[in-house]
PDB file of all heavy atoms in Angstrom:
ATOM      1  N   MET S  44      -6.074  25.636  -0.950  1.00  0.00           N
ATOM      2  CA  MET S  44      -7.446  25.327  -0.609  1.00  0.00           C
ATOM      3  C   MET S  44      -8.322  26.547  -0.731  1.00  0.00           C
ATOM      4  O   MET S  44      -9.458  26.488  -1.285  1.00  0.00           O
ATOM      5  CB  MET S  44      -7.521  24.814   0.854  1.00  0.00           C
ATOM      6  CG  MET S  44      -6.926  23.476   1.106  1.00  0.00           C
ATOM      7  SD  MET S  44      -7.068  23.020   2.850  1.00  0.00           S
ATOM      8  CE  MET S  44      -5.608  22.006   3.081  1.00  0.00           C
ATOM      9  N   LEU S  45      -7.845  27.699  -0.241  1.00  0.00           N
ATOM     10  CA  LEU S  45      -8.646  28.921  -0.295  1.00  0.00           C
ATOM     11  C   LEU S  45      -8.884  29.362  -1.749  1.00  0.00           C
ATOM     12  O   LEU S  45      -9.985  29.768  -2.126  1.00  0.00           O
ATOM     13  CB  LEU S  45      -7.927  30.063   0.488  1.00  0.00           C
ATOM     14  CG  LEU S  45      -7.800  29.840   2.004  1.00  0.00           C
ATOM     15  CD1 LEU S  45      -7.058  31.016   2.630  1.00  0.00           C
ATOM     16  CD2 LEU S  45      -9.189  29.680   2.628  1.00  0.00           C
ATOM     17  N   ALA S  46      -7.817  29.255  -2.584  1.00  0.00           N
ATOM     18  CA  ALA S  46      -7.949  29.618  -3.996  1.00  0.00           C
ATOM     19  C   ALA S  46      -8.964  28.715  -4.707  1.00  0.00           C
ATOM     20  O   ALA S  46      -9.768  29.136  -5.491  1.00  0.00           O
ATOM     21  CB  ALA S  46      -6.582  29.583  -4.673  1.00  0.00           C
ATOM     22  N   ALA S  47      -8.822  27.390  -4.453  1.00  0.00           N
ATOM     23  CA  ALA S  47      -9.737  26.434  -5.082  1.00  0.00           C
ATOM     24  C   ALA S  47     -11.179  26.676  -4.630  1.00  0.00           C
ATOM     25  O   ALA S  47     -12.112  26.673  -5.449  1.00  0.00           O
ATOM     26  CB  ALA S  47      -9.309  24.998  -4.735  1.00  0.00           C
ATOM     27  N   GLY S  48     -11.379  26.897  -3.327  1.00  0.00           N
ATOM     28  CA  GLY S  48     -12.731  27.109  -2.830  1.00  0.00           C
ATOM     29  C   GLY S  48     -13.340  28.429  -3.337  1.00  0.00           C
ATOM     30  O   GLY S  48     -14.544  28.502  -3.610  1.00  0.00           O
ATOM     31  N   ALA S  49     -12.494  29.467  -3.455  1.00  0.00           N
ATOM     32  CA  ALA S  49     -13.025  30.771  -3.897  1.00  0.00           C
ATOM     33  C   ALA S  49     -13.554  30.729  -5.330  1.00  0.00           C
ATOM     34  O   ALA S  49     -14.409  31.531  -5.709  1.00  0.00           O
ATOM     35  CB  ALA S  49     -11.900  31.812  -3.784  1.00  0.00           C
ATOM     36  N   ALA S  50     -13.039  29.765  -6.138  1.00  0.00           N
ATOM     37  CA  ALA S  50     -13.547  29.636  -7.483  1.00  0.00           C
ATOM     38  C   ALA S  50     -14.998  29.125  -7.554  1.00  0.00           C
ATOM     39  O   ALA S  50     -15.711  29.378  -8.537  1.00  0.00           O
ATOM     40  CB  ALA S  50     -12.637  28.703  -8.317  1.00  0.00           C
ATOM     41  N   ILE S  51     -15.458  28.461  -6.491  1.00  0.00           N
ATOM     42  CA  ILE S  51     -16.790  27.859  -6.517  1.00  0.00           C
ATOM     43  C   ILE S  51     -17.909  28.945  -6.449  1.00  0.00           C
ATOM     44  O   ILE S  51     -18.826  28.910  -7.260  1.00  0.00           O
ATOM     45  CB  ILE S  51     -16.926  26.842  -5.336  1.00  0.00           C
ATOM     46  CG1 ILE S  51     -15.982  25.668  -5.590  1.00  0.00           C
ATOM     47  CG2 ILE S  51     -18.379  26.364  -5.264  1.00  0.00           C
ATOM     48  CD1 ILE S  51     -16.009  24.645  -4.484  1.00  0.00           C
ATOM     49  N   PRO S  52     -17.867  29.907  -5.489  1.00  0.00           N
ATOM     50  CA  PRO S  52     -18.897  30.919  -5.535  1.00  0.00           C
ATOM     51  C   PRO S  52     -18.822  31.797  -6.805  1.00  0.00           C
ATOM     52  O   PRO S  52     -19.841  32.282  -7.275  1.00  0.00           O
ATOM     53  CB  PRO S  52     -18.668  31.755  -4.258  1.00  0.00           C
ATOM     54  CG  PRO S  52     -17.261  31.474  -3.880  1.00  0.00           C
ATOM     55  CD  PRO S  52     -16.991  30.089  -4.334  1.00  0.00           C
ATOM     56  N   ALA S  53     -17.599  32.020  -7.290  1.00  0.00           N
ATOM     57  CA  ALA S  53     -17.484  32.798  -8.530  1.00  0.00           C
ATOM     58  C   ALA S  53     -18.144  32.046  -9.671  1.00  0.00           C
ATOM     59  O   ALA S  53     -18.874  32.633 -10.479  1.00  0.00           O
ATOM     60  CB  ALA S  53     -15.992  33.028  -8.846  1.00  0.00           C
ATOM     61  N   PHE S 123     -23.946  18.784  -9.416  1.00  0.00           N
ATOM     62  CA  PHE S 123     -23.675  19.920  -8.537  1.00  0.00           C
ATOM     63  C   PHE S 123     -23.868  21.255  -9.317  1.00  0.00           C
ATOM     64  O   PHE S 123     -24.496  22.170  -8.771  1.00  0.00           O
ATOM     65  CB  PHE S 123     -22.250  19.848  -7.984  1.00  0.00           C
ATOM     66  CG  PHE S 123     -21.826  21.090  -7.228  1.00  0.00           C
ATOM     67  CD1 PHE S 123     -22.386  21.349  -5.974  1.00  0.00           C
ATOM     68  CD2 PHE S 123     -20.907  21.960  -7.734  1.00  0.00           C
ATOM     69  CE1 PHE S 123     -22.013  22.463  -5.234  1.00  0.00           C
ATOM     70  CE2 PHE S 123     -20.551  23.097  -7.013  1.00  0.00           C
ATOM     71  CZ  PHE S 123     -21.115  23.337  -5.789  1.00  0.00           C
ATOM     72  N   GLN S 127     -26.766  24.540  -8.844  1.00  0.00           N
ATOM     73  CA  GLN S 127     -26.492  25.989  -8.756  1.00  0.00           C
ATOM     74  C   GLN S 127     -27.550  26.762  -9.561  1.00  0.00           C
ATOM     75  O   GLN S 127     -28.067  27.783  -9.098  1.00  0.00           O
ATOM     76  CB  GLN S 127     -25.097  26.301  -9.304  1.00  0.00           C
ATOM     77  CG  GLN S 127     -23.953  25.799  -8.442  1.00  0.00           C
ATOM     78  CD  GLN S 127     -22.622  26.089  -9.121  1.00  0.00           C
ATOM     79  OE1 GLN S 127     -22.505  26.171 -10.337  1.00  0.00           O
ATOM     80  NE2 GLN S 127     -21.571  26.207  -8.268  1.00  0.00           N
ATOM     81  N   PHE S 139     -28.430  27.929   0.435  1.00  0.00           N
ATOM     82  CA  PHE S 139     -27.723  27.091  -0.521  1.00  0.00           C
ATOM     83  C   PHE S 139     -26.308  26.749   0.024  1.00  0.00           C
ATOM     84  O   PHE S 139     -25.918  25.593  -0.030  1.00  0.00           O
ATOM     85  CB  PHE S 139     -27.595  27.804  -1.875  1.00  0.00           C
ATOM     86  CG  PHE S 139     -26.971  26.986  -2.956  1.00  0.00           C
ATOM     87  CD1 PHE S 139     -27.774  26.209  -3.793  1.00  0.00           C
ATOM     88  CD2 PHE S 139     -25.624  26.986  -3.149  1.00  0.00           C
ATOM     89  CE1 PHE S 139     -27.189  25.433  -4.817  1.00  0.00           C
ATOM     90  CE2 PHE S 139     -24.998  26.233  -4.128  1.00  0.00           C
ATOM     91  CZ  PHE S 139     -25.818  25.450  -4.962  1.00  0.00           C
ATOM     92  N   SER S 140     -25.602  27.759   0.552  1.00  0.00           N
ATOM     93  CA  SER S 140     -24.264  27.559   1.054  1.00  0.00           C
ATOM     94  C   SER S 140     -24.241  26.573   2.222  1.00  0.00           C
ATOM     95  O   SER S 140     -23.407  25.683   2.288  1.00  0.00           O
ATOM     96  CB  SER S 140     -23.636  28.879   1.472  1.00  0.00           C
ATOM     97  OG  SER S 140     -23.579  29.782   0.373  1.00  0.00           O
ATOM     98  N   VAL S 141     -25.163  26.748   3.170  1.00  0.00           N
ATOM     99  CA  VAL S 141     -25.214  25.850   4.321  1.00  0.00           C
ATOM    100  C   VAL S 141     -25.509  24.423   3.904  1.00  0.00           C
ATOM    101  O   VAL S 141     -24.867  23.479   4.397  1.00  0.00           O
ATOM    102  CB  VAL S 141     -26.306  26.343   5.339  1.00  0.00           C
ATOM    103  CG1 VAL S 141     -26.503  25.305   6.421  1.00  0.00           C
ATOM    104  CG2 VAL S 141     -25.937  27.663   5.925  1.00  0.00           C
ATOM    105  N   VAL S 143     -24.935  22.978   0.903  1.00  0.00           N
ATOM    106  CA  VAL S 143     -23.788  22.432   0.190  1.00  0.00           C
ATOM    107  C   VAL S 143     -22.669  22.083   1.171  1.00  0.00           C
ATOM    108  O   VAL S 143     -22.069  20.989   1.081  1.00  0.00           O
ATOM    109  CB  VAL S 143     -23.261  23.453  -0.829  1.00  0.00           C
ATOM    110  CG1 VAL S 143     -21.901  23.028  -1.365  1.00  0.00           C
ATOM    111  CG2 VAL S 143     -24.236  23.550  -2.022  1.00  0.00           C
ATOM    112  N   VAL S 144     -22.364  22.971   2.112  1.00  0.00           N
ATOM    113  CA  VAL S 144     -21.273  22.742   3.036  1.00  0.00           C
ATOM    114  C   VAL S 144     -21.567  21.515   3.914  1.00  0.00           C
ATOM    115  O   VAL S 144     -20.681  20.681   4.194  1.00  0.00           O
ATOM    116  CB  VAL S 144     -21.071  23.973   3.949  1.00  0.00           C
ATOM    117  CG1 VAL S 144     -20.248  23.646   5.181  1.00  0.00           C
ATOM    118  CG2 VAL S 144     -20.382  25.089   3.127  1.00  0.00           C
ATOM    119  N   GLN S 147     -20.934  18.526   1.753  1.00  0.00           N
ATOM    120  CA  GLN S 147     -19.494  18.342   1.536  1.00  0.00           C
ATOM    121  C   GLN S 147     -18.793  17.758   2.779  1.00  0.00           C
ATOM    122  O   GLN S 147     -17.968  16.881   2.662  1.00  0.00           O
ATOM    123  CB  GLN S 147     -18.862  19.673   1.163  1.00  0.00           C
ATOM    124  CG  GLN S 147     -19.210  20.170  -0.241  1.00  0.00           C
ATOM    125  CD  GLN S 147     -18.672  21.564  -0.493  1.00  0.00           C
ATOM    126  OE1 GLN S 147     -18.604  22.394   0.432  1.00  0.00           O
ATOM    127  NE2 GLN S 147     -18.324  21.842  -1.718  1.00  0.00           N
ATOM    128  N   VAL S 182     -20.215  28.122   9.209  1.00  0.00           N
ATOM    129  CA  VAL S 182     -20.972  28.533   8.026  1.00  0.00           C
ATOM    130  C   VAL S 182     -22.362  29.046   8.409  1.00  0.00           C
ATOM    131  O   VAL S 182     -22.830  30.045   7.844  1.00  0.00           O
ATOM    132  CB  VAL S 182     -21.044  27.381   7.006  1.00  0.00           C
ATOM    133  CG1 VAL S 182     -21.950  27.747   5.845  1.00  0.00           C
ATOM    134  CG2 VAL S 182     -19.644  27.026   6.501  1.00  0.00           C
ATOM    135  N   GLN S 212     -20.421  16.120  -4.833  1.00  0.00           N
ATOM    136  CA  GLN S 212     -19.216  16.806  -5.255  1.00  0.00           C
ATOM    137  C   GLN S 212     -17.968  16.335  -4.514  1.00  0.00           C
ATOM    138  O   GLN S 212     -16.886  16.180  -5.043  1.00  0.00           O
ATOM    139  CB  GLN S 212     -19.358  18.331  -5.113  1.00  0.00           C
ATOM    140  CG  GLN S 212     -18.193  19.091  -5.718  1.00  0.00           C
ATOM    141  CD  GLN S 212     -17.972  20.453  -5.094  1.00  0.00           C
ATOM    142  OE1 GLN S 212     -18.209  20.654  -3.915  1.00  0.00           O
ATOM    143  NE2 GLN S 212     -17.528  21.380  -5.889  1.00  0.00           N
ATOM    144  N   GLN S 216     -14.503  14.800  -5.973  1.00  0.00           N
ATOM    145  CA  GLN S 216     -13.146  15.232  -5.608  1.00  0.00           C
ATOM    146  C   GLN S 216     -12.295  14.059  -5.127  1.00  0.00           C
ATOM    147  O   GLN S 216     -11.105  13.970  -5.446  1.00  0.00           O
ATOM    148  CB  GLN S 216     -13.222  16.269  -4.509  1.00  0.00           C
ATOM    149  CG  GLN S 216     -13.822  17.636  -4.959  1.00  0.00           C
ATOM    150  CD  GLN S 216     -14.024  18.597  -3.852  1.00  0.00           C
ATOM    151  OE1 GLN S 216     -14.136  18.207  -2.669  1.00  0.00           O
ATOM    152  NE2 GLN S 216     -14.098  19.866  -4.176  1.00  0.00           N
ATOM    153  N   PHE S 277     -11.148  24.722  -9.468  1.00  0.00           N
ATOM    154  CA  PHE S 277     -11.411  23.949  -8.249  1.00  0.00           C
ATOM    155  C   PHE S 277     -11.399  22.410  -8.493  1.00  0.00           C
ATOM    156  O   PHE S 277     -11.119  21.659  -7.586  1.00  0.00           O
ATOM    157  CB  PHE S 277     -12.716  24.378  -7.581  1.00  0.00           C
ATOM    158  CG  PHE S 277     -13.997  24.058  -8.244  1.00  0.00           C
ATOM    159  CD1 PHE S 277     -14.532  22.769  -8.194  1.00  0.00           C
ATOM    160  CD2 PHE S 277     -14.721  25.033  -8.887  1.00  0.00           C
ATOM    161  CE1 PHE S 277     -15.749  22.489  -8.806  1.00  0.00           C
ATOM    162  CE2 PHE S 277     -15.935  24.778  -9.508  1.00  0.00           C
ATOM    163  CZ  PHE S 277     -16.432  23.478  -9.452  1.00  0.00           C
ATOM    164  N   THR S 293      -9.489  18.646   2.650  1.00  0.00           N
ATOM    165  CA  THR S 293      -9.662  19.377   1.369  1.00  0.00           C
ATOM    166  C   THR S 293     -11.026  20.049   1.315  1.00  0.00           C
ATOM    167  O   THR S 293     -11.135  21.239   0.948  1.00  0.00           O
ATOM    168  CB  THR S 293      -9.508  18.435   0.169  1.00  0.00           C
ATOM    169  OG1 THR S 293      -8.180  17.944   0.131  1.00  0.00           O
ATOM    170  CG2 THR S 293      -9.818  19.137  -1.133  1.00  0.00           C
ATOM    171  N   ALA S 294     -12.084  19.316   1.650  1.00  0.00           N
ATOM    172  CA  ALA S 294     -13.429  19.862   1.622  1.00  0.00           C
ATOM    173  C   ALA S 294     -13.544  21.064   2.576  1.00  0.00           C
ATOM    174  O   ALA S 294     -14.103  22.092   2.225  1.00  0.00           O
ATOM    175  CB  ALA S 294     -14.459  18.787   1.985  1.00  0.00           C
ATOM    176  N   MET S 295     -12.979  20.909   3.767  1.00  0.00           N
ATOM    177  CA  MET S 295     -13.096  21.984   4.783  1.00  0.00           C
ATOM    178  C   MET S 295     -12.299  23.223   4.325  1.00  0.00           C
ATOM    179  O   MET S 295     -12.750  24.354   4.474  1.00  0.00           O
ATOM    180  CB  MET S 295     -12.599  21.489   6.129  1.00  0.00           C
ATOM    181  CG  MET S 295     -13.533  20.478   6.771  1.00  0.00           C
ATOM    182  SD  MET S 295     -12.797  19.658   8.206  1.00  0.00           S
ATOM    183  CE  MET S 295     -12.332  21.069   9.200  1.00  0.00           C
ATOM    184  N   GLY S 296     -11.095  22.991   3.785  1.00  0.00           N
ATOM    185  CA  GLY S 296     -10.305  24.112   3.301  1.00  0.00           C
ATOM    186  C   GLY S 296     -10.982  24.849   2.158  1.00  0.00           C
ATOM    187  O   GLY S 296     -10.971  26.106   2.075  1.00  0.00           O
ATOM    188  N   MET S 297     -11.587  24.058   1.258  1.00  0.00           N
ATOM    189  CA  MET S 297     -12.313  24.712   0.153  1.00  0.00           C
ATOM    190  C   MET S 297     -13.588  25.419   0.614  1.00  0.00           C
ATOM    191  O   MET S 297     -13.987  26.403   0.034  1.00  0.00           O
ATOM    192  CB  MET S 297     -12.604  23.680  -0.930  1.00  0.00           C
ATOM    193  CG  MET S 297     -11.334  23.189  -1.636  1.00  0.00           C
ATOM    194  SD  MET S 297     -11.588  21.914  -2.904  1.00  0.00           S
ATOM    195  CE  MET S 297     -12.565  22.789  -4.123  1.00  0.00           C
ATOM    196  N   ILE S 298     -14.209  24.876   1.672  1.00  0.00           N
ATOM    197  CA  ILE S 298     -15.356  25.565   2.256  1.00  0.00           C
ATOM    198  C   ILE S 298     -14.931  26.934   2.778  1.00  0.00           C
ATOM    199  O   ILE S 298     -15.605  27.931   2.571  1.00  0.00           O
ATOM    200  CB  ILE S 298     -15.986  24.710   3.356  1.00  0.00           C
ATOM    201  CG1 ILE S 298     -16.731  23.519   2.755  1.00  0.00           C
ATOM    202  CG2 ILE S 298     -16.910  25.557   4.244  1.00  0.00           C
ATOM    203  CD1 ILE S 298     -17.091  22.465   3.764  1.00  0.00           C
ATOM    204  N   ALA S 299     -13.801  26.988   3.465  1.00  0.00           N
ATOM    205  CA  ALA S 299     -13.282  28.284   3.928  1.00  0.00           C
ATOM    206  C   ALA S 299     -13.042  29.202   2.745  1.00  0.00           C
ATOM    207  O   ALA S 299     -13.368  30.390   2.810  1.00  0.00           O
ATOM    208  CB  ALA S 299     -11.968  28.060   4.708  1.00  0.00           C
ATOM    209  N   GLY S 300     -12.496  28.636   1.664  1.00  0.00           N
ATOM    210  CA  GLY S 300     -12.289  29.420   0.432  1.00  0.00           C
ATOM    211  C   GLY S 300     -13.571  29.948  -0.164  1.00  0.00           C
ATOM    212  O   GLY S 300     -13.668  31.066  -0.669  1.00  0.00           O
ATOM    213  N   GLN S 301     -14.617  29.091  -0.085  1.00  0.00           N
ATOM    214  CA  GLN S 301     -15.913  29.510  -0.568  1.00  0.00           C
ATOM    215  C   GLN S 301     -16.435  30.723   0.154  1.00  0.00           C
ATOM    216  O   GLN S 301     -16.978  31.710  -0.439  1.00  0.00           O
ATOM    217  CB  GLN S 301     -16.945  28.354  -0.477  1.00  0.00           C
ATOM    218  CG  GLN S 301     -16.708  27.228  -1.451  1.00  0.00           C
ATOM    219  CD  GLN S 301     -17.680  26.099  -1.204  1.00  0.00           C
ATOM    220  OE1 GLN S 301     -18.878  26.282  -1.245  1.00  0.00           O
ATOM    221  NE2 GLN S 301     -17.171  24.897  -0.951  1.00  0.00           N
ATOM    222  N   LEU S 302     -16.321  30.691   1.490  1.00  0.00           N
ATOM    223  CA  LEU S 302     -16.804  31.816   2.292  1.00  0.00           C
ATOM    224  C   LEU S 302     -15.973  33.071   2.027  1.00  0.00           C
ATOM    225  O   LEU S 302     -16.530  34.183   1.935  1.00  0.00           O
ATOM    226  CB  LEU S 302     -16.772  31.459   3.766  1.00  0.00           C
ATOM    227  CG  LEU S 302     -17.820  30.428   4.214  1.00  0.00           C
ATOM    228  CD1 LEU S 302     -17.748  30.233   5.735  1.00  0.00           C
ATOM    229  CD2 LEU S 302     -19.203  30.870   3.852  1.00  0.00           C
ATOM    230  N   VAL S 303     -14.631  32.909   1.980  1.00  0.00           N
ATOM    231  CA  VAL S 303     -13.781  34.056   1.709  1.00  0.00           C
ATOM    232  C   VAL S 303     -14.105  34.633   0.337  1.00  0.00           C
ATOM    233  O   VAL S 303     -14.235  35.856   0.141  1.00  0.00           O
ATOM    234  CB  VAL S 303     -12.280  33.655   1.765  1.00  0.00           C
ATOM    235  CG1 VAL S 303     -11.380  34.790   1.282  1.00  0.00           C
ATOM    236  CG2 VAL S 303     -11.912  33.282   3.209  1.00  0.00           C
ATOM    237  N   GLY S 304     -14.254  33.758  -0.684  1.00  0.00           N
ATOM    238  CA  GLY S 304     -14.556  34.207  -2.026  1.00  0.00           C
ATOM    239  C   GLY S 304     -15.928  34.894  -2.080  1.00  0.00           C
ATOM    240  O   GLY S 304     -16.097  35.924  -2.743  1.00  0.00           O
ATOM    241  N   SER S 305     -16.919  34.347  -1.367  1.00  0.00           N
ATOM    242  CA  SER S 305     -18.243  34.948  -1.347  1.00  0.00           C
ATOM    243  C   SER S 305     -18.215  36.307  -0.680  1.00  0.00           C
ATOM    244  O   SER S 305     -18.870  37.261  -1.162  1.00  0.00           O
ATOM    245  CB  SER S 305     -19.222  34.039  -0.587  1.00  0.00           C
ATOM    246  OG  SER S 305     -19.371  32.809  -1.246  1.00  0.00           O
ATOM    247  N   LEU S 306     -17.409  36.425   0.393  1.00  0.00           N
ATOM    248  CA  LEU S 306     -17.287  37.692   1.058  1.00  0.00           C
ATOM    249  C   LEU S 306     -16.660  38.767   0.157  1.00  0.00           C
ATOM    250  O   LEU S 306     -17.149  39.900   0.084  1.00  0.00           O
ATOM    251  CB  LEU S 306     -16.444  37.528   2.322  1.00  0.00           C
ATOM    252  CG  LEU S 306     -16.264  38.766   3.253  1.00  0.00           C
ATOM    253  CD1 LEU S 306     -17.606  39.245   3.749  1.00  0.00           C
ATOM    254  CD2 LEU S 306     -15.364  38.422   4.425  1.00  0.00           C
ATOM    255  N   VAL S 307     -15.605  38.385  -0.567  1.00  0.00           N
ATOM    256  CA  VAL S 307     -14.949  39.314  -1.475  1.00  0.00           C
ATOM    257  C   VAL S 307     -15.907  39.713  -2.608  1.00  0.00           C
ATOM    258  O   VAL S 307     -15.974  40.902  -2.985  1.00  0.00           O
ATOM    259  CB  VAL S 307     -13.675  38.690  -2.049  1.00  0.00           C
ATOM    260  CG1 VAL S 307     -13.094  39.600  -3.162  1.00  0.00           C
ATOM    261  CG2 VAL S 307     -12.624  38.497  -0.945  1.00  0.00           C
ATOM    262  N   LEU S 308     -16.646  38.738  -3.118  1.00  0.00           N
ATOM    263  CA  LEU S 308     -17.608  39.023  -4.210  1.00  0.00           C
ATOM    264  C   LEU S 308     -18.716  40.006  -3.735  1.00  0.00           C
ATOM    265  O   LEU S 308     -19.096  40.911  -4.435  1.00  0.00           O
ATOM    266  CB  LEU S 308     -18.236  37.768  -4.735  1.00  0.00           C
ATOM    267  CG  LEU S 308     -17.428  36.935  -5.750  1.00  0.00           C
ATOM    268  CD1 LEU S 308     -18.140  35.609  -6.032  1.00  0.00           C
ATOM    269  CD2 LEU S 308     -17.208  37.684  -7.016  1.00  0.00           C
ATOM    270  N   THR S 327     -16.658  33.453   8.734  1.00  0.00           N
ATOM    271  CA  THR S 327     -15.636  33.101   7.736  1.00  0.00           C
ATOM    272  C   THR S 327     -14.289  32.823   8.382  1.00  0.00           C
ATOM    273  O   THR S 327     -13.614  31.869   8.028  1.00  0.00           O
ATOM    274  CB  THR S 327     -15.508  34.279   6.759  1.00  0.00           C
ATOM    275  OG1 THR S 327     -16.743  34.496   6.089  1.00  0.00           O
ATOM    276  CG2 THR S 327     -14.422  33.962   5.709  1.00  0.00           C
ATOM    277  N   THR S 330     -14.116  29.403  10.015  1.00  0.00           N
ATOM    278  CA  THR S 330     -13.878  28.239   9.133  1.00  0.00           C
ATOM    279  C   THR S 330     -12.382  27.953   8.991  1.00  0.00           C
ATOM    280  O   THR S 330     -11.988  26.792   8.883  1.00  0.00           O
ATOM    281  CB  THR S 330     -14.481  28.463   7.713  1.00  0.00           C
ATOM    282  OG1 THR S 330     -13.919  29.612   7.113  1.00  0.00           O
ATOM    283  CG2 THR S 330     -16.008  28.594   7.767  1.00  0.00           C
TER     284      THR S 330
END
Side-chain angles (χ1 to χ4, degrees):
M44 291 180 211
L45 294 178
I51 296 178
F123 173 71
Q127 291 177 334
F139 184 91
S140 300
V141 172
V143 167
V144 164
Q147 288 173 327
V182 173
Q212 188 205 32
Q216 291 174 338
F277 71 77
T293 295
M295 291 169 56
M297 291 178 65
I298 286 166
Q301 289 176 57
L302 289 183
V303 172
S305 297
L306 183 60
V307 172
L308 280 174
T327 299
T330 59

